[in-house]
Amino acid sequence: PGLKPSNPVRARMKSSKPPLPADTAAQDPASSIQAPEREQVARPLRCASASAMVQSRRVRRSSAVPSLAALGALAFAGLALHGRLATTDFLLPGERAEAPKGPSLGRRAGLLGAGLLGAAVLQPPSSVLALTSEELHAAALFLKAAPGVIGITDASLTKQVSSRAADRAAEHPAVTGSGFVWDGSHIVTNYHVVDDMKSPQVVFITKDASGEDKHSSFAATIVGADPLSDIAVLEVSGDSLILAGLMVPLGRGVSETLLPGQAVFALGNPFGLEHSMSRGVISGLSRTMQSGVPGRPIRGVIQTDASINPGNSGGPLLDSDGNVIGLNSAILSSTGTFSGIGLAIPIDTVKRNVGSMISNGFVSRSSLGVVLAPEYLTEVLGVKNGAMVMKVFPGSPAQQAGVQAMRRGHIGDVIVGMAGKPVTSTADVFNILETSAPGDDLPLQIRRVSADADNDEFEVVSVTVRLGASNSKLVMT
């Protein structure tokens, strides 16, 4: 382009060549980019700046080379015209036709089209998809993990929702939470997802023969629910042959070795948008969030900036290998929607508690057999350090050791030390119990009001408690 031909005949040949139809690209089934869009995406290729070079790497193959259909048509037409069109067609009036001395224009066009067609076909798949290696990895991870991610709903609240297909409407329960397949018969989710459900139901999403989403719903039974760790386990009932094809357990990783900055992927059904995936990194570790029981925080929580919203609860947080490293549970937000801080229960905690719930129906924990006063009450009563005992269960390890609860006119014992460690709040008590096992002998240091009614002084008493076992059905410390 831009060079003036020296041969007037060849110049006339170029000007006489019929132009390609303007809508060739739009009609090309092998290209998804219309002709005006090709001009726009191709324009950065003319720029020598670094940003343009980055953009040009993402251009689809259809914008970089002629489409396959157009090149095929050019090759066929060129070969068909070979021998029939010569320079005679482009002679000036009065000039005599001569036998062509070289390849005809048709043959040259055919050879050119065939060569370009071969080059287009031999393009690597990555250029066809216009995906980077990271994008290909993320897409493969989603395709692998999505079958193991399910929706959870209450069958008693079933209502009609519209299908996303253009001319279809499907009758299926509105998904209100998420979960993931643990094994051949169990689903893991959050306690708060199923806490108020009368008839839990799990919803699997597969593709039918036409490629549309197909929803398969099955009744489920809660076999274990632990408010202290916000974990619940459902057992799915239904045709075993059908379930065998739907229950695709996800691989489980290790949360102990996680590092801030590590890439993670959150899967679930935010706002009922089924099988959604967001990507982020681990923002922090060893966070604390409140459980379903006042005064009993969940510790060791994973913080991530992967988008988590209502409906994501109970879904898996995956590492780059597609293994579950956390259970998406909560967000920190002033608006109720995601603001950059999502929280997930670490998989090490999930594995330990799920195994106990499947075996026993509850999570077994070491227990003193007491109820501790909330911190606002201890402040009102002037208790500055320690954890005050508000109630002692009859026959509990604490009662057998002589621990005293609040009674009329007197505050209860204040635990100021456990196992040789200082106790300044109820959180310290829970932390020490988490590292102990039922049956352990645990020494306590207690600050107790003097038995002398006229004496306001405290006395320090040491007792030893043999820890009992509590479960999720009878929550006690």
Side-chain angles (χ1 to χ4, degrees):
L3 297 179
K4 183 177 180 180
S6 58
N7 188 332
V9 176
R10 294 181 63 88
R12 186 171 305 170
M13 289 168 56
K14 290 184 177 291
S15 62
S16 303
K17 185 177 178 180
L20 290 175
D23 59 349
T24 300
Q27 295 179 353
D28 179 6
S31 172
S32 60
I33 301 179
Q34 303 298 319
E37 297 176 340
R38 290 191 179 190
E39 294 178 0
Q40 295 174 6
V41 298
R43 188 170 296 116
L45 292 175
R46 304 189 187 103
C47 180
S49 66
S51 60
M53 293 174 64
V54 173
Q55 294 181 43
S56 67
R57 182 174 59 86
R58 300 298 305 278
V59 177
R60 291 182 179 270
R61 180 177 65 176
S62 57
S63 66
V65 296
S67 65
L68 298 182
L71 292 176
L74 178 59
F76 179 80
L79 293 174
L81 291 173
H82 175 48
R84 300 192 56 170
L85 288 179
T87 54
T88 308
D89 300 282
F90 305 99
L91 292 177
L92 296 175
E95 291 184 335
R96 183 177 180 181
E98 297 181 359
K101 298 180 181 180
S104 69
L105 179 63
R107 183 179 180 185
R108 282 179 289 175
L111 293 175
L112 175 61
L116 291 176
L117 177 62
V121 172
L122 293 177
Q123 290 288 326
S126 59
S127 63
V128 176
L129 299 175
L131 297 176
T132 66
S133 59
E134 289 186 2
E135 291 171 331
L136 287 171
H137 175 76
L141 183 147
F142 174 81
L143 293 175
K144 176 184 176 182
V149 180
I150 56 91
I152 298 178
T153 186
D154 191 342
S156 63
L157 302 178
T158 301
K159 63 181 181 179
Q160 178 154 344
V161 296
S162 298
S163 171
R164 296 189 67 82
D167 299 316
R168 293 182 59 187
E171 180 79 19
H172 65 84
V175 172
T176 57
S178 305
F180 67 93
V181 179
W182 186 262
D183 56 28
S185 59
H186 295 101
I187 301 293
V188 171
T189 185
N190 283 133
Y191 169 84
H192 73 263
V193 170
V194 299
D195 182 28
D196 295 326
M197 288 189 178
K198 297 179 180 179
S199 303
Q201 193 174 56
V202 297
V203 182
F204 295 88
I205 304 176
T206 55
K207 297 292 184 181
D208 59 20
S210 62
E212 298 292 340
D213 286 345
K214 176 183 177 181
H215 296 77
S216 303
S217 302
F218 295 86
T221 303
I222 301 175
V223 298
D226 181 45
L228 299 183
S229 61
D230 197 21
I231 300 172
V233 179
L234 306 178
E235 185 171 13
V236 185
S237 57
D239 189 303
S240 58
L241 293 178
I242 296 177
L243 287 175
L246 294 174
M247 299 287 283
V248 182
L250 297 183
R252 300 190 282 272
V254 178
S255 54
E256 183 180 5
T257 58
L258 297 177
L259 297 172
Q262 183 174 336
V264 291
F265 303 83
L267 274 70
N269 309 298
F271 299 108
L273 299 175
E274 299 161 323
H275 276 190
S276 297
M277 183 175 81
S278 61
R279 180 178 180 177
V281 299
I282 294 177
S283 305
L285 299 167
S286 300
R287 304 304 191 208
T288 300
M289 73 178 190
Q290 183 57 48
S291 70
V293 178
R296 294 296 299 265
I298 303 173
R299 301 187 180 277
V301 175
I302 302 168
Q303 177 188 339
T304 178
D305 66 351
S307 182
I308 296 175
N309 283 291
N312 270 120
S313 290
L317 184 69
L318 307 178
D319 62 14
S320 296
D321 291 330
N323 295 319
V324 182
I325 57 171
L327 180 66
N328 300 323
S329 300
I331 58 175
L332 292 182
S333 172
S334 59
T335 62
T337 56
F338 185 68
S339 58
I341 301 178
L343 301 174
I345 300 169
I347 190 61
D348 292 350
T349 300
V350 176
K351 287 188 287 189
R352 181 175 63 251
N353 293 357
V354 167
S356 179
M357 283 188 276
I358 292 177
S359 300
N360 307 316
F362 56 86
V363 177
S364 180
R365 292 182 174 86
S366 57
S367 170
L368 293 171
V370 302
V371 174
L372 300 177
E375 293 186 358
Y376 75 86
L377 180 58
T378 61
E379 292 179 0
V380 171
L381 296 176
V383 178
K384 297 182 179 180
N385 290 310
M388 185 175 68
V389 178
M390 188 168 64
K391 179 180 179 180
V392 177
F393 288 97
S396 67
Q399 186 189 48
Q400 295 174 10
V403 177
Q404 299 178 6
M406 291 180 63
R407 56 197 183 278
R408 182 174 299 179
H410 296 278
I411 65 174
D413 287 347
V414 179
I415 302 174
V416 294
M418 293 178 64
K421 300 177 180 179
V423 172
T424 60
S425 65
T426 57
D428 293 333
V429 175
F430 300 139
N431 289 340
I432 295 173
L433 288 176
E434 286 293 332
T435 61
S436 306
D440 289 351
D441 290 330
L442 195 68
L444 303 181
Q445 288 74 47
I446 294 174
R447 192 171 66 230
R448 179 178 294 171
V449 176
S450 175
D452 185 356
D454 297 329
N455 188 355
D456 293 334
E457 297 295 327
F458 289 89
E459 57 183 5
V460 177
V461 179
S462 295
V463 299
T464 299
V465 178
R466 176 160 292 180
L467 297 176
S470 67
N471 60 66
S472 306
K473 299 176 183 179
L474 179 61
V475 178
M476 61 182 179
T477 302

